[in-house]
Amino acid sequence: MTRQRILDFGCGTGWVLAKASRHRDDVLVGIDYSLADLGEGSRRFPHLSFVRGNGMALPFAAASFDEVIGHVSLPYMNTSHALREVHRVLAPGGSFFLTVHCMEYVRQRLSNGVGKGRWKDGLFMLYAIANGFLNHCGFSQVSWFGGKFETIHTAGGIARTARRAGFSGVHVERRPGLIFFGVSGFKPDPEHPKASRDASWSLNHLLTAKG
Ligand SMILES: C[S@@+](CC[C@H](N)C(=O)[O-])C[C@H]1O[C@@H](n2cnc3c(N)ncnc32)[C@H](O)[C@@H]1O
């Protein structure tokens, strides 16, 4: 196993990244725009590097990483902008594994909701589903009032967006009962155009990391 440069995209406190290392010399970087999460992450996981930034305009040079992972951060970004950035920062042959919310998330969120705010959240979830429909049909998503942004993705929509961003071997992984599903793929290497590779991460890795 060789040293890998791994980026956790929308890392929050970085708990997924903390489980991602397989080699002691791996370079582990988390990016998020929440200062509070980054602060907590730096205290909990001092061996990780945390960077504050926007997932849709990553502050890294092209081809800086071998793997990009990210757990339910893509739902809060414009899908095609974000995936194009993930593609840019991956080295040729590099792979990604990202999770996004599915309809089970909406079902659980609404059934757990209580009180007066419930209809507002229902409306917001309708907006997030409509954003998934826009993405499914190849259109750009729209922001909610005040700049809030969320999407409930479809498997077809996210797979097509990943292919349009330049990825090959795009694969969607679903598991009954989960509120998210995974999408993975790799950036083709022009020097080895026929090469194909599996993403190093999958739902199994994520669920094991969750414990
Ligand atoms: C549901 S949390 C998931 C956090 C973490 N991946 C985890 O599993 O605990 C979504 C994260 O995405 C981050 N996020 C949302 N939009 C972002 C953006 N445009 N750029 C960077 N981070 C973003 C949020 O700050 C938040 O930490």
Side-chain angles (χ1 to χ4, degrees), residues 2 4 9 47 65 69 75 89 96 116 124 130 146 181 191 201:
T2 54
Q4 298 285 294
F9 184 73
H47 63 295
F65 295 97
I69 56 175
V89 301
F96 77 91
K116 277 196 200 157
F124 185 69
F181 64 93
E191 289 188 12
W201 268 65

Side-chain angles (χ1 to χ4, degrees), residues 26-200:
D26 282 347
V27 174
L28 304 169
V29 181
I31 184 157
D32 202 287
Y33 67 18
S34 160
L35 270 182
D37 282 356
L38 294 175
E40 188 189 330
S42 311
R43 281 188 294 278
R44 282 175 61 189
F45 308 112
H47 63 295
L48 306 180
S49 299
F50 290 97
V51 176
R52 187 172 191 222
N54 183 350
M56 293 178 291
L58 290 170
F60 307 112
S64 300
F65 295 97
D66 305 299
E67 279 177 47
V68 174
I69 56 175
H71 184 41
V72 290
S73 51
L74 192 57
Y76 307 100
M77 303 180 210
N78 176 293
T79 314
S80 53
H81 292 182
L83 287 176
R84 280 202 298 265
E85 275 297 88
V86 170
H87 185 271
R88 183 182 67 78
V89 301
L90 272 174
S95 65
F96 77 91
F97 173 76
L98 298 168
T99 61
V100 292
H101 288 135
C102 57
M103 285 303 288
E104 179 62 18
Y105 169 78
V106 178
R107 198 191 65 72
Q108 290 194 22
R109 179 162 159 168
L110 294 182
S111 61
N112 292 338
V114 280
K116 277 196 200 157
R118 200 169 168 170
W119 71 268
K120 279 192 192 156
D121 204 36
L123 203 59
F124 185 69
M125 283 293 97
L126 273 181
Y127 147 79
I129 292 167
N131 255 351
F133 183 70
L134 286 174
N135 176 250
H136 185 85
C137 298
F139 298 114
S140 202
Q141 298 123 293
V142 293
S143 300
W144 184 249
F145 306 101
K148 229 174 147 183
F149 192 91
E150 194 161 335
T151 301
I152 305 298
H153 285 93
T154 65
I158 197 155
R160 278 190 292 278
T161 314
R163 285 189 204 103
R164 272 200 301 272
F167 289 108
S168 293
V170 174
H171 172 69
V172 169
E173 203 186 347
R174 290 176 167 282
R175 212 49 89 72
L178 288 184
I179 62 171
F180 51 83
F181 64 93
V183 60
S184 59
F186 70 94
K187 177 171 174 170
D189 183 348
E191 289 188 12
H192 306 281
K194 297 240 167 77
S196 134
R197 60 164 291 190
D198 292 329
S200 312

